[in-house]
Amino acid sequence: MALPGVSTSPLRSGYDTIIIGAGVQGVAIAYELAKRGHSDVLVLDRSWPGGGASGRNGELIRSAFGSREWCELFELSRRKWLGLSQELDMNVLFNRSGYAVLASTEQQWDQCRADHRFQHGLGIRTELLDEREARRALPAANPDLVRGAVLQEQAGFAHHDSVVAAYLENAARLGVQIVAGEQVVELLRDGDAVIGVRTARGQEVRASTVVNAAGGQALEINAMAGLRMPLVAARLEMLVTQPVRPFLKPGVAALELLGYCHQTGRGEFVGGTELARVDESTSLNGTWTVLQDMASKFVRLFPMLAGVRLLRHWAGTVSQTPDLAPVLGPVPEVPGLVLSVGWVYGFMGAPGAAELLARHIVSGDTDPRMAPFGIERTRSGAWIREGSLVVDMDLAEETA
Ligand SMILES: Cc1cc2nc3c(=O)[nH]c(=O)nc-3n(C[C@H](O)[C@H](O)[C@H](O)COP(=O)(O)OP(=O)(O)OC[C@H]3O[C@@H](n4cnc5c(N)ncnc54)[C@H](O)[C@@H]3O)c2cc1C
């Protein structure tokens, strides 16, 4: 049985826009296009909507970062998250329990203080919690790992499957055709321009705009366009435990552990950590190495998790740039191709980025909040410096 909103009709020979990938980015862009009256849109996914990283992530949402570029794009998104259930008339289960960036060392605390000042300068409301206040906000945390925190109260986490379903059903209602199990294997070209796609079943479909929103496979789509840019695939893992009594209210990004986590309304603890190397393999199986890393770090952070049973453990892939920021917008030398790639924080970023990309596709305008994320920086090397990510930045730059 097809998922609600997924089309079983045959593909037509042409559309205004084709979006490759029905992850949260693809379906959100489709919805934002259709909302602007641009509904002659086809979304193709080789598997099922949300089957990529969008259905495998940590679900965390914040806009409290340390750089102007990240703060401005993700603040637009966060504001949209606040009203998303209402706008889409479906409950995306956005839980506003807050998001804390946790400092464990003096250096991280200095960074939190600087980020907090910076966020306030931009009008983003966050609280700076000193050691005592942070321990009160995170009573189950190991005090040795709590030096202070930046808490964004109007942030938190949402249910990833609900979000993809809500965007998808709304896009379909507005006339977008979303097709599952249809892989793009080639981009049709007219000179340098991209003018459509060929699917694995051999069907050619034309469009004036083709959006690469293929997540961890975005590199493959770029290669079909002959596009070279520093982008690597990266594999991440998550775990979820059996339900335990409520012990953790906000989502947490623990800088010291390169880890992020939250506790669901049902009591499950959900978390993921980053290893000190990028794993470019594409397997979706969990590994013992990462499981041990996650388990040992989270038990260190929350000692009461010792002995709690795991429910599940899984992997997902993303594509990432050297500065871990997405690449959004057109490619000057490949007319017709638009990118929404390199997303490492692409769940929280989807509502805002999709709006700005849709506006760009419809009108050609580039919003100042989207402009810094254009492809130009991957050529000039003028990377965005964002210090509050729970990923080893130096490492990302070396590997890409
Ligand atoms: C373990 C983990 C934890 C994460 N935690 C967070 C978090 O807490 N907060 C956050 O904001 N982000 C998080 N992320 C990142 C976030 O999940 C991604 O950035 C986001 O989901 C990217 O969305 P997307 O739509 O671009 O890609 P995806 O969801 O991966 O979708 C891409 C789609 O493209 C399809 N596709 C690929 N190739 C083709 C092709 N040739 N033809 C047709 N279809 C194709 C795939 O089947 C897939 O469905 C996490 C990611 C992982 C893996």
Side-chain angles (χ1 to χ4, degrees), residues 20-26 44-48 50-54 56-60 182-184 213-217 221 224 236-238 260 314 316-318 340 343-349:
I20 306 172
V24 67
Q25 294 290 332
L44 294 172
D45 200 289
R46 65 175 196 167
S47 59
W48 67 91
S54 298
R56 299 168 184 274
N57 57 52
E59 309 186 316
L60 291 160
E182 198 74 67
Q183 182 172 1
V184 170
Q217 288 78 43
I221 307 297
M224 292 176 199
L236 306 169
E237 297 185 28
M238 298 287 304
Y260 43 95
W314 64 89
T317 58
V318 296
S340 174
W343 278 110
V344 181
Y345 283 58
F347 179 68
M348 60 179 86

Side-chain angles (χ1 to χ4, degrees), residues 37 55 77 82 84 146 149-150 161 170 174 197 227 260 266 278 305 313 323 332-333 337 347 360 378 389:
S77 233
L82 296 178
L84 204 59
V146 181
V150 174
D161 296 331
N170 276 274
L174 294 172
V197 303
L227 174 61
Y260 43 95
R266 287 188 302 261
V278 176
L305 284 176
H313 162 216
D323 60 3
E333 73 275 20
L337 182 65
F347 179 68
H360 171 79
T378 70
L389 306 178

Side-chain angles (χ1 to χ4, degrees), residues 235 237 275 277 285-296 310 313:
R235 190 173 161 288
E237 297 185 28
L275 286 185
R277 67 180 163 79
N285 293 328
T287 62
W288 180 240
T289 316
V290 182
L291 181 58
Q292 269 184 317
D293 187 71
M294 295 190 289
S296 60
L310 287 185
H313 162 216

Side-chain angles (χ1 to χ4, degrees), residues 50-365:
S54 298
R56 299 168 184 274
N57 57 52
E59 309 186 316
L60 291 160
I61 295 163
R62 64 166 156 149
S63 66
F65 289 97
S67 61
R68 173 176 295 277
E69 295 88 343
W70 280 71
C71 282
E72 288 183 345
L73 178 65
F74 287 81
E75 177 61 5
L76 169 67
S77 233
R78 189 192 66 85
R79 287 175 183 273
K80 289 178 75 78
W81 276 108
L82 296 178
L84 204 59
S85 294
Q86 200 174 8
E87 173 169 354
L88 300 178
D89 197 22
M90 279 176 76
N91 192 350
V92 300
L93 301 170
F94 178 40
N95 188 325
R96 299 185 200 189
S97 48
Y99 192 125
V101 175
L102 175 66
S104 302
T105 65
E106 287 305 318
Q107 194 186 354
Q108 290 159 5
W109 174 235
D110 288 345
Q111 185 193 320
C112 281
R113 285 190 302 181
D115 287 353
H116 172 255
R117 272 196 305 276
F118 183 72
Q119 289 151 8
H120 271 232
L122 292 177
I124 295 176
R125 224 179 116 196
T126 53
E127 314 299 320
L128 186 67
L129 307 183
D130 64 17
E131 197 165 317
R132 205 166 45 89
E133 292 164 330
R135 285 182 186 173
R136 205 179 305 133
L138 300 171
N142 175 351
D144 294 347
L145 288 171
V146 181
R147 173 61 189 90
V150 174
L151 176 68
Q152 185 168 32
E153 282 184 345
Q154 291 292 309
F157 48 91
H159 194 284
H160 44 215
D161 296 331
S162 309
V163 176
V164 172
Y167 269 124
L168 186 150
E169 287 190 38
N170 276 274
R173 180 179 53 77
L174 294 172
V176 171
Q177 187 177 359
I178 299 149
V179 179
E182 198 74 67
Q183 182 172 1
V184 170
V185 292
E186 189 185 334
L187 296 181
L188 305 178
R189 309 296 296 270
D190 179 8
D192 291 333
V194 169
I195 56 163
V197 303
R198 189 190 314 279
T199 70
R201 291 178 222 267
Q203 184 161 355
E204 288 190 0
V205 190
R206 291 179 181 257
S208 46
T209 304
V210 174
V211 181
N212 179 359
Q217 288 78 43
L219 296 76
E220 295 167 21
I221 307 297
N222 280 355
M224 292 176 199
L227 174 61
R228 290 175 64 84
M229 59 179 280
L231 192 68
V232 293
R235 190 173 161 288
L236 306 169
E237 297 185 28
M238 298 287 304
L239 59 74
V240 55
T241 70
Q242 66 181 19
V244 287
R245 67 172 170 78
F247 72 95
L248 177 60
K249 184 173 171 245
V252 176
L255 296 170
E256 181 67 4
L257 305 181
L258 296 181
Y260 43 95
C261 55
H262 70 276
Q263 188 177 20
T264 70
R266 287 188 302 261
E268 298 132 335
F269 172 83
V270 184
T273 57
E274 306 278 332
L275 286 185
R277 67 180 163 79
V278 176
D279 179 352
E280 293 186 43
S281 62
T282 52
S283 161
L284 295 177
N285 293 328
T287 62
W288 180 240
T289 316
V290 182
L291 181 58
Q292 269 184 317
D293 187 71
M294 295 190 289
S296 60
K297 284 177 176 169
F298 286 130
V299 168
R300 202 175 141 220
L301 181 59
F302 297 114
M304 45 95 41
L305 284 176
V308 171
R309 285 172 184 271
L310 287 185
L311 268 188
R312 287 185 301 281
H313 162 216
W314 64 89
T317 58
V318 296
S319 60
Q320 68 180 48
T321 58
D323 60 3
L324 301 166
V327 181
L328 306 174
V331 181
E333 73 275 20
V334 189
L337 182 65
V338 169
L339 303 177
S340 174
V341 305
W343 278 110
V344 181
Y345 283 58
F347 179 68
M348 60 179 86
E355 177 185 323
L356 301 185
L357 264 179
R359 276 166 43 189
H360 171 79
I361 292 168
V362 170
S363 70
D365 292 345

